[in-house]
Amino acid sequence: MKRIIAVVLIVLFGLPLWAQNYERLRNNMVRNQIASRGINHEPTLDAMRKVERHLFVPQRSQARAYDDNPMPIGYGQTISQPFIVAYMTQLVDPQPGHRVLEIGAGSGYQGAVLAEIVEDVYTIEIVPELGEQAKTLLNDLGYSNVEVIVGDGYFGLPHKGPFDAIVVTAAAEYIPPPLIEQLKEGGKMIIPVGSPFMVQTLILLEKLEGEIKTTNLMAVRFVPFTRSKE
Ligand code: SAH
């Protein structure tokens, strides 16, 4: 009997406590890792406080989901460090009416952060298992404005473009021309460029009156942008 009462008490009080704990970890993450490093775009900060990052990592690593680093998500891939997610989000200047393309859905976390701010997010993932997992999770969490597509993101999604912003979360040797083409006039793309398994450069690309302007931002380390064999 005592054991049953203990289980009931843990379920009644333990679960809300855990939820609160994660909320506290998220608020601390935003304060200590993101706002303190100069991210001041309120919609980005709000989204990072809201999206439950621990649900996007493997169960055994949930307690460390709000740490200041990237984490493995299986299939040799990683979920980016929280600061990098916020930095890339702020830099593409997402707005409520925007349509955004992400290449490299991975866990679906960056897609969820964008979906908190913009109208529509399309995210492409080349590893089918990760794509399906992200699709299920985003659907279960009620993100009806995110569409996960399994495939090679090199070609973008011409029939859904042009896009206000494009976020690439895998390191490419060069910026895929189809993605530049699918960026709206005035649109912004953020992409890590450089050799796989080495330090790459995070680049901001803007399309201004038909001209392409690129700005080198900082050294980063992302998983490689891979290509499908077909
Ligand atoms: N944005 C993700 C980070 C995932 S890491 C998150 O928030 O969790 C980058 C992802 O890009 C990996 O899952 C990798 O499989 C994927 N990727 C690599 N090359 C790709 C390509 N050509 N098209 C689509 N996805 C690709």
Side-chain angles (χ1 to χ4, degrees), residues 56-57 73 78-79 104-110 125 130 133-134 137-138:
F56 292 82
V57 304
I73 52 170
T78 55
I79 179 172
S107 67
Y109 178 70
Q110 170 80 73
E125 173 53 54
L130 282 175
Q133 216 167 284
L137 177 60
L138 290 165

Side-chain angles (χ1 to χ4, degrees), residues 8-46:
V8 169
L9 286 177
I10 287 170
V11 170
L12 277 181
F13 297 104
L15 288 180
L17 270 182
W18 260 114
Q20 267 180 30
N21 197 28
Y22 279 128
E23 192 178 354
R24 191 169 54 77
L25 290 177
R26 264 198 305 285
N27 288 332
N28 288 346
M29 168 189 84
V30 170
R31 188 173 345 100
N32 304 332
Q33 303 171 30
I34 298 172
S36 64
R37 292 181 182 139
I39 305 294
N40 54 14
H41 183 243
E42 276 305 326
T44 299
L45 297 175
D46 285 345

Side-chain angles (χ1 to χ4, degrees), residues 42-56:
E42 276 305 326
T44 299
L45 297 175
D46 285 345
M48 299 291 296
R49 276 187 210 103
K50 190 159 172 210
V51 180
E52 297 181 282
R53 182 172 162 97
H54 63 280
L55 301 179
F56 292 82

